[in-house]
Amino acid sequence: MIELSESAAGHFRALIENQNSPGLGIRLRAVAAGTPKGDCQLEFCEPGDLTGDEWEIECQGFSLYVTADSVEALEGANIDFTRDATGGQLSIKAPRLRGAPPDGDASIIERVRYLIESEINPQLASHGGRVTLREVTAEGIVVLQFGGGCHGCGMVDVTLRNGIEKTLCEKVPEVTGVRDVTDHGTGAKPYYDRKAG
């Protein structure tokens, strides 16, 4: 079941009223559900846009339609709208949207890959960077390759030791260290240039 706060319902109602289109509703769908990139998409929808398999939530003055392929990922979602000085902020909290973390029985590779995609790469993305898992050795060494703004970056060693290695060792006890196999000399657009010499 999806919970829609009264403030969010009021926000949607006001948006729909401004469109002056009879029968207009709001459609909600999950994008890339079950992955760390999972997100929600909201859009206006007219009655002719509906396919008939949507899950309908009737609200006062409009309907919210959840696409059939999104129902499972959005189960338990909470939609809220908080007013502020600039107008307000709509938030959708969907605990099942990005999938569940691997359980304790999952392989070390599954747990490391999940942490890279759910925690590490989103942080590196703020600098235009990313990291790819190449392998996990029998000794527990995680072998990584950097890309984007991290490829050739002068701060990659700090990122590797103080960020990535620390996170992986804390959250996956079998990890004993991290090794970078990137040829940083070929980095085209590093976030921080390496100093010569």
Side-chain angles (χ1 to χ4, degrees):
M1 179 168 174
I2 294 177
E3 292 184 30
L4 182 68
S5 73
E6 185 49 47
S7 61
H11 175 67
F12 290 145
R13 210 170 9 258
L15 291 173
I16 289 170
E17 287 171 3
N18 286 339
Q19 298 303 309
N20 196 23
S21 178
L24 192 66
I26 302 284
R27 181 167 34 210
L28 173 63
R29 71 168 35 106
V31 179
T35 74
K37 294 181 181 179
D39 204 354
C40 293
Q41 182 182 55
L42 285 166
E43 61 189 357
F44 291 120
C45 68
E46 296 179 344
D49 297 333
L50 300 173
T51 60
D53 61 352
E54 293 87 359
W55 186 50
E56 182 180 5
I57 301 171
E58 294 181 4
C59 304
Q60 185 179 353
F62 72 97
S63 287
L64 176 70
Y65 300 97
V66 181
T67 61
D69 60 349
S70 301
V71 170
E72 187 177 334
L74 296 175
E75 177 67 30
N78 181 291
I79 304 172
D80 194 17
F81 181 76
T82 307
R83 297 193 185 285
D84 60 27
T86 60
Q89 177 69 43
L90 185 70
S91 66
I92 302 174
K93 295 179 182 171
R96 298 177 65 180
L97 178 63
R98 295 184 177 156
D103 59 28
D105 294 339
S107 73
I108 185 173
I109 292 173
E110 288 176 289
R111 288 179 285 145
V112 167
R113 185 174 285 127
Y114 179 82
L115 285 170
I116 287 171
E117 295 302 323
S118 65
E119 292 186 29
I120 295 167
N121 275 340
Q123 292 178 12
L124 296 178
S126 66
H127 291 170
R130 67 185 175 283
V131 69
T132 304
L133 176 64
R134 288 293 169 220
E135 70 172 306
V136 178
T137 69
E139 297 79 28
I141 302 294
V142 175
V143 181
L144 302 172
Q145 183 170 354
F146 286 89
C150 292
H151 185 186
C153 178
M155 295 297 289
V156 76
D157 292 336
V158 173
T159 300
L160 187 70
R161 299 289 165 228
N162 296 345
I164 297 172
E165 186 173 59
K166 184 177 177 184
T167 298
L168 292 176
C169 287
E170 283 177 2
K171 298 189 176 184
V172 182
E174 300 92 332
V175 172
T176 58
V178 178
R179 185 171 59 217
D180 177 14
V181 294
T182 312
D183 178 2
H184 286 285
T186 61
K189 294 184 179 180
Y191 191 75
Y192 290 110
D193 287 327
R194 290 181 174 261
K195 292 192 185 333

